[in-house]
Amino acid sequence: MPDDDLLRSMLRDEWHLVPGDLTRLQGGLLSRAWEFEASGHTHLARLSDGPVRPSVEAGLAAAAHLLDHGIAAGTPVRTLGGALTVTLGSGALAVLRRVPGRSLAGADPVDQQWWGDRLGAVHRVLQHFQHPGLRPWNLLDAGAGHLDAQPWLREAVTAAVTAMTRLSVTDRLTYGVLHGDPAPEDFVVDLDTGRAGILDCGVSGTGPLVYDVAAAVVYAGGLMAAGELLDGYLSAGPVRQDELEAALPVLLRFRWAVQADRYARLLSGPCSERAGHELRRAREALDALPG
């Protein structure tokens, strides 16, 4: 994770932005984000992990597409050289002008309705969106070496991948552009206008839309806690209830396997204590899922 001085330097040199306080935002599995004031506007800086620059730029283009179709979304800010992102460490750093409003609370039933509704609307508007940076949905490699970090890990990831493959072959799933990591903190509501929106479109790829719903359900605290979220999504999204009911259990297992895979990669790094805690949490969740 970059320190504040490095991030300030990048914002100044690449975007000519001089931030005030940098506030680290909560949430997010595949990226880290900071909020700051500069040049009279509130901005969001997001650092996505890994060599994913084309996918990040696809997400920024998707945000612009949402804006063109009446959905409030963060406005991408280009660098002084005209680029959408710059490389920072092994990741891609992007800056957006923030959507007005407060971030949603995942446990709040009313906020869940906003959250599900906006996720569904984003899926619907992006159904025919195209960009060369959109990568096919492929998040797990059951043969990866880091899965030896825990005795149970490879078996759990293999089972999730197998179930996902079987579902893809036997069921007709609705595919489209994924957010990939739709945490409630990525969605906002402006209480002055009643308008809800999304901060950005994450590291965009294409895949079964129920994966995004499953990721949101995990953030909401599980199926028993996500009723309003699912109702909001079904009212606005392109996925029908019968598909959601059939696919969601498999995609929930897959999402937890993605989280386990992610934290297994971090076990040997400076965040090893948190990674170990999150791995235990993922194992408990996987053990509790039916099937």
Side-chain angles (χ1 to χ4, degrees):
M1 182 187 304
D3 61 30
D4 284 2
D5 289 341
L6 176 57
L7 186 57
R8 289 177 186 278
S9 175
M10 294 291 289
L11 293 171
R12 182 185 65 248
D13 295 345
E14 299 290 344
W15 281 272
H16 202 207
L17 293 172
V18 181
D21 292 338
L22 290 167
T23 303
R24 172 75 194 277
L25 301 184
Q26 300 297 313
L29 178 67
L30 305 175
S31 66
R32 290 150 288 173
W34 296 262
E35 190 174 296
F36 64 92
E37 301 285 337
S39 302
H41 297 282
T42 304
H43 293 81
L44 178 78
R46 186 177 296 279
L47 179 63
S48 299
D49 297 336
V52 292
R53 190 169 181 177
S55 297
V56 173
E57 295 191 353
L60 295 171
H65 183 81
L66 293 175
L67 284 165
D68 289 342
H69 287 77
I71 293 184
T75 305
V77 180
R78 291 186 178 270
T79 68
L80 296 175
L84 283 169
T85 62
V86 297
T87 299
L88 179 56
S90 63
L93 180 67
V95 174
L96 303 97
R97 189 169 293 174
R98 193 188 186 284
V99 180
R102 64 161 178 82
S103 292
L104 300 183
D108 183 273
V110 175
D111 279 12
Q112 279 197 19
Q113 282 280 347
W114 288 114
W115 184 13
D117 174 87
R118 288 300 83 187
L119 181 59
V122 166
H123 281 172
R124 189 172 291 281
V125 169
L126 293 180
Q127 275 190 294
H128 304 294
F129 172 78
Q130 295 182 342
H131 187 279
L134 287 174
R135 57 194 173 94
W137 186 72
N138 184 16
L139 294 174
L140 287 177
D141 174 12
H146 63 268
L147 296 181
D148 291 328
Q150 298 283 343
W152 59 272
L153 190 53
R154 189 178 303 280
E155 181 179 353
V157 169
T158 300
V161 171
T162 300
M164 186 64 236
T165 302
R166 187 182 302 117
L167 178 70
S168 300
V169 171
T170 58
D171 289 61
R172 286 191 67 178
L173 300 177
T174 304
Y175 280 71
V177 177
L178 297 171
H179 181 284
D181 198 28
E185 293 85 0
D186 275 354
F187 295 78
V188 300
V189 60
D190 187 343
L191 297 180
D192 292 332
T193 64
R195 191 181 188 198
I198 185 170
L199 295 182
D200 67 355
C201 289
V203 181
S204 279
T206 56
L209 297 181
V210 181
Y211 175 77
D212 268 356
V213 181
V217 167
V218 169
Y219 279 119
L223 274 174
M224 298 299 292
E228 298 297 329
L229 166 69
L230 296 176
D231 285 347
Y233 182 84
L234 287 169
S235 71
V239 178
R240 299 192 324 181
Q241 185 167 355
D242 56 350
E243 178 186 341
L244 192 65
E245 291 176 351
L248 193 52
V250 176
L251 270 299
L252 279 171
R253 179 172 295 279
F254 194 86
R255 173 62 180 189
W256 276 112
V258 168
Q259 296 202 185
D261 175 88
R262 162 68 177 158
Y263 287 110
R265 294 174 185 269
L266 300 177
L267 273 178
S268 61
C271 299
S272 59
E273 184 175 348
R274 182 194 173 195
H277 169 76
E278 294 294 342
L279 262 179
R280 290 189 293 273
R281 181 168 169 257
R283 184 180 185 182
E284 291 170 359
L286 286 165
D287 288 344
L289 289 172

